[in-house]
Amino acid sequence: MSFRPLHDRVLVKRIEAEEKTKGGIIIPDTAKEKPQEGEVVAVGSGTRNEKGELVALDVKAGDRILFGKWSGTEIKLDGEDLLIMKESDILGILETTAKKGKKAA
């Protein structure tokens, strides 16, 4: 099923946290907090400004984001747990930086 959020809403899939701590302690499901990191699955067309012009969203599908603990509305779509939230609920975009190696001379 294809789903496109309306206006400034974003469809997000939570990225599950590690099951172990760095020290090797396994965290049971009952003690885990819901992750506050996710991947944008789909975005709406944007909002309208005072002039009526369409303003596109800053996030796009595929972006890894951070959002507030209680942000969004949980839905189930095609058996998958997802969140719908407004762009304003997103705290930031996680950018991955690739290590740049020096060329051998």
Side-chain angles (χ1 to χ4, degrees):
M1 175 186 301
S2 179
F3 180 83
R4 184 178 59 88
L6 297 177
H7 309 296
D8 66 336
R9 289 184 171 73
V10 179
L11 186 66
V12 176
K13 180 173 99 177
R14 287 186 194 267
I15 296 175
E16 294 301 321
E18 293 284 328
E19 304 243 343
K20 287 185 182 178
T21 64
K22 289 182 181 179
I25 299 171
I26 298 174
I27 303 169
D29 288 338
T30 55
K32 285 188 205 172
E33 288 190 18
K34 289 186 178 181
Q36 294 175 269
E37 186 177 331
E39 180 179 348
V40 176
V41 177
V43 297
S45 57
T47 58
R48 300 222 176 251
N49 62 15
E50 297 83 28
K51 297 178 183 177
E53 300 165 337
L54 192 63
V55 178
L57 301 179
D58 288 331
V59 296
K60 60 187 179 306
D63 283 348
R64 287 182 68 139
I65 59 166
L66 289 178
F67 50 87
K69 188 178 283 193
W70 307 108
S71 299
T73 303
E74 294 181 352
I75 64 164
K76 188 167 262 194
L77 193 63
D78 290 338
E80 189 173 18
D81 291 327
L82 301 168
L83 287 169
I84 295 178
M85 64 181 69
K86 289 189 169 231
E87 185 184 38
S88 60
D89 291 337
I90 296 172
L91 303 175
I93 300 171
L94 296 170
E95 296 179 356
T96 57
T97 55
K99 291 185 180 179
K100 295 181 180 178
K102 294 183 179 179
K103 290 184 181 179

